[in-house]
Amino acid sequence: MKIPDHHTTKLGSKDFVFQVNKWPFAITCNPLLPTITESFIGLALVQDMQLNVKKLECRTISYGGLTTKVVGSISQTVQVVYNGVSSGTMHLKAKVIRNLTNLYGVDCIAGQKLYKSLTMATSNLNSSVVSSAASEEEANHVAAA
């Protein structure tokens, strides 16, 4: 999988860009939020994208000190946005959460497995870019000598 386009906020959160039915959305990886096993996605976004909610329920949860409801789950193939264009796919399983965007200001929060997958990929990319730049600088230095 290609590393999706992402944006880093001042607090260190990373928003990775995906799309479903030509509807872009961000999956947030925030080290300051409590760790969750399953990803969360907002009910309003699910309705806008016209996705089918499965395993309907209405259960109260507390996450990050705020109370809301789990209303079901989704299992959906999403498109990875790379350089502004959809490039490949990945599978997203998430609990559908009522008022996620209003409460946390995000479309989707990555669960443990997805969080590791996305952040490890970007850290590996960043280290390879740094080592590539260092190797190029070293080669230029040797050639100049």
Side-chain angles (χ1 to χ4, degrees), residues 9-129:
T9 67
K10 292 178 185 178
L11 297 174
S13 172
K14 288 187 180 180
D15 291 340
F16 294 88
V17 184
F18 296 87
Q19 79 172 6
V20 173
N21 299 331
K22 301 197 186 266
W23 193 281
F25 69 100
I27 297 177
T28 300
C29 293
N30 188 335
L32 302 176
L33 288 174
T35 304
I36 51 177
T37 54
E38 295 181 274
S39 299
F40 289 167
I41 190 166
L43 175 61
L45 181 64
V46 168
Q47 290 172 330
D48 288 342
M49 292 189 297
Q50 300 176 351
L51 301 179
N52 292 329
V53 179
K54 299 173 181 166
K55 297 182 185 171
L56 296 174
E57 59 182 304
C58 193
R59 177 173 43 98
T60 302
I61 63 164
S62 180
Y63 177 70
L66 301 173
T67 302
T68 188
K69 301 254 187 213
V70 175
V71 295
S73 61
I74 62 155
S75 182
Q76 178 72 38
T77 299
V78 298
Q79 295 175 315
V80 176
V81 175
Y82 178 75
N83 287 334
V85 178
S86 63
S87 304
T89 61
M90 71 164 229
H91 193 78
L92 174 65
K93 288 178 77 172
K95 292 287 185 184
V96 180
I97 307 296
R98 189 177 289 162
N99 297 323
L100 188 68
T101 304
N102 295 339
L103 294 172
Y104 300 99
V106 298
D107 294 331
C108 187
I109 300 173
Q112 277 180 319
K113 187 176 176 183
L114 182 56
Y115 185 101
K116 284 180 184 175
S117 168
L118 291 172
T119 56
M120 293 295 261
T122 57
S123 65
N124 289 344
L125 176 67
N126 290 340
S127 64
S128 68
V129 167

